[in-house]
Amino acid sequence: MATLKQIMRDYGPEYVQRFGHNMPAHHRKVIDAIVNCRTEYYGATLFRCDDCGKGHSVFRCCGNRHCPNCQGQKTRQWLARRLAEQLPVNHFMITFTMPEAIRGFIRRHQRRCYAAMFDASSQTLKTLARNDKFIGADLPGFFGVLHTWGRTMPYHPPFHYVVPAGALTKSDGRWHRSFDHFFLPVRAMSKIFKAKFRDAMQKDGLASTICPDVWKLAWVVDCRMVGAGAKSIKYLAPYVFKVAISNSRIVKIEDRRIFFKYKKQRSNRWRTMSLEVMAFLHRFLQHVLPSGFMKVRYYGFMSPGSSVSIKTVAESIKHCAAAVSRASRSISISRFVPKCRACGGDLVYHAFILPLRLPWCGAG
Ligand SMILES: [Zn+2]
Ligand SMILES: [Zn+2]
């Protein structure tokens, strides 16, 4: 089966040769990481079988956040942490999207725009949550994830927020529950988000380079309830660690064309489209985030610096008579244990072989 690694390995050098002159350094790094993932380049771990004593070596993965091979372990760790901290309420997924007419501008100013989009959208949620008409509490807690792609990998940066259905009042620590199927009005979110983003661009002196029609459009914000407990958290996990295309969606490589599957919005039917391999690589690489940019951010009582712990929030929810307790621990996240290829027994860590290129040698 074709994989992204295979495509990068076979066509990455040609891509770099043809387009390398104006290619950002972090794009090359991603190609290198994906091509060398699970090779001696990243070293190997040696295991010994607990049952038959046979030795095994496993190449280490690159750990790059754009590599489709490397997201499974991260998803498991994230799920375990979120399950340990789950709150006994429903959760909403709120998605902020940017109109097509502004996407070219955002691409040219990625670092600044992504930060401004995070600020504008998180402040929108906080502002509206404080309003007595909706929740009337000044300490919501939520986290946001930036994606930059649509289903066929066009450049389309939406933000997904995951929000427990309510918020806390700082002064008395009381939990204010939101409605079961309504968190905050999407039209109001859209208006405030747009205004805050515009303010940020004006402050940076960039607003004059944006097409003025953009401000006349409605910026789409979507809000849907995704349920409570472990199931909803498991449903949300792929949104956090998705990459622009997974290996399972790549169908085949034929005559320099990559065929891949996608689903249209609100449709469950798989369709196939194909792109010339250089165009495919270009589409994939436009979703590589600026180095060091944090694509998942935690706010309010979910932020690591919050003075209120998740445990305190959970206690407060339990004391709120109206809160619905539907959390469950029915989904367990099992730790990945490598198995012996000879007898199926559990493998035990034995030693580590250093990477081929050591980061402190300045190589590569
Ligand atoms: Zn064995
Ligand atoms: Zn990898």
Side-chain angles (χ1 to χ4, degrees):
M1 205 179 75
T3 61
L4 190 64
K5 177 176 174 162
Q6 190 185 337
I7 297 166
M8 293 279 186
R9 190 192 58 212
D10 295 348
Y11 298 99
E14 180 189 334
Y15 188 88
V16 172
Q17 198 188 22
R18 287 174 62 179
F19 308 106
H21 53 281
N22 59 6
M23 192 175 169
H26 57 288
H27 286 196
R28 287 176 196 250
K29 274 189 189 162
V30 169
I31 295 180
D32 265 358
I34 294 174
V35 168
N36 292 303
C37 185
R38 295 215 178 275
T39 66
E40 67 276 18
Y41 187 95
Y42 288 103
T45 308
L46 302 183
F47 295 96
R48 181 158 291 155
C49 177
D50 227 4
D51 294 344
C52 71
K54 194 174 179 335
H56 295 260
S57 70
V58 177
F59 287 131
R60 292 167 69 90
C61 60
C62 68
N64 190 289
R65 58 180 165 168
H66 301 96
C67 171
N69 276 343
C70 291
Q71 307 310 309
Q73 177 66 3
K74 286 182 195 166
T75 308
R76 269 193 295 274
Q77 285 168 348
W78 182 87
L79 259 176
R81 209 165 49 239
R82 294 271 72 85
L83 284 174
E85 292 184 348
Q86 65 175 307
L87 296 172
V89 288
N90 284 333
H91 287 77
F92 288 90
M93 184 152 84
I94 301 175
T95 304
F96 290 83
T97 39
M98 310 298 282
E100 199 171 348
I102 200 173
R103 291 178 199 161
F105 168 82
I106 295 172
R107 243 192 108 184
R108 289 192 297 279
H109 304 276
Q110 288 183 35
R111 197 177 284 275
R112 180 62 200 109
C113 284
Y114 294 159
M117 285 154 67
F118 258 127
D119 288 347
S121 49
S122 61
Q123 283 167 19
T124 298
L125 294 177
K126 287 180 186 171
T127 304
L128 283 170
R130 268 200 300 272
N131 191 319
D132 286 334
K133 275 200 287 187
F134 310 121
I135 298 170
D138 54 358
L139 187 60
F142 50 89
F143 67 89
V145 187
L146 166 69
H147 285 166
T148 59
W149 55 84
R151 287 151 199 255
T152 55
M153 294 197 293
Y155 186 74
H156 172 39
F159 272 87
H160 298 290
Y161 278 96
V162 176
V163 196
L168 215 63
T169 316
K170 278 186 205 161
S171 55
D172 59 7
R174 200 161 64 84
W175 179 256
H176 294 240
R177 180 193 173 199
S178 77
F179 292 106
D180 273 351
H181 292 275
F182 172 83
F183 187 65
L184 294 169
V186 287
R187 272 200 195 166
M189 282 195 271
S190 163
K191 274 188 189 167
I192 298 174
F193 172 52
K194 180 166 64 175
K196 286 188 183 293
F197 182 79
R198 186 179 191 172
D199 287 350
M201 291 302 106
Q202 268 163 351
K203 220 168 144 189
D204 287 354
L206 291 169
S208 60
T209 58
I210 300 173
C211 166
D213 293 345
V214 160
W215 312 115
K216 293 178 200 150
L217 301 167
W219 291 24
V220 178
V221 179
D222 178 71
C223 178
R224 62 195 154 109
M225 204 273 283
V226 289
K231 269 191 179 171
S232 67
I233 297 171
K234 202 171 178 201
Y235 165 81
L236 295 164
Y239 282 91
V240 180
F241 294 103
K242 246 186 194 172
V243 292
I245 190 154
S246 61
N247 284 328
S248 60
R249 284 176 53 206
I250 301 173
V251 179
K252 62 177 176 179
I253 311 167
E254 206 173 87
D255 298 333
R256 286 180 63 87
R257 292 195 80 79
I258 313 296
F259 292 76
F260 63 96
K261 293 189 289 183
Y262 72 99
K263 279 179 186 172
K264 277 192 177 171
Q265 219 172 4
R266 293 183 195 88
S267 162
N268 225 5
R269 182 161 74 81
W270 284 111
R271 292 152 210 262
T272 305
M273 79 173 277
S274 75
L275 287 171
E276 195 278 328
V277 64
M278 294 295 121
F280 176 90
L281 287 174
H282 174 74
R283 269 205 201 191
F284 178 83
L285 289 169
Q286 67 183 346
H287 305 297
V288 171
L289 294 172
S291 300
F293 185 85
M294 283 168 65
K295 72 163 194 171
V296 185
R297 299 187 182 194
Y298 297 82
Y299 296 91
F301 63 71
M302 280 198 178
S303 93
S306 168
S307 56
V308 181
S309 71
I310 289 285
K311 211 173 149 198
T312 307
V313 178
E315 290 295 314
S316 176
I317 292 172
K318 280 176 199 155
H319 285 124
C320 167
V324 189
S325 179
R326 271 183 276 174
S328 79
R329 301 278 170 114
S330 57
I331 294 175
S332 62
I333 307 302
S334 52
R335 204 169 64 82
F336 172 70
V337 180
K339 299 285 180 194
C340 173
R341 286 188 292 271
C343 75
D346 288 354
L347 295 182
V348 187
Y349 172 77
H350 182 57
F352 170 56
I353 297 175
L354 288 170
L356 200 60
R357 297 189 195 186
L358 301 174
W360 56 87
C361 292

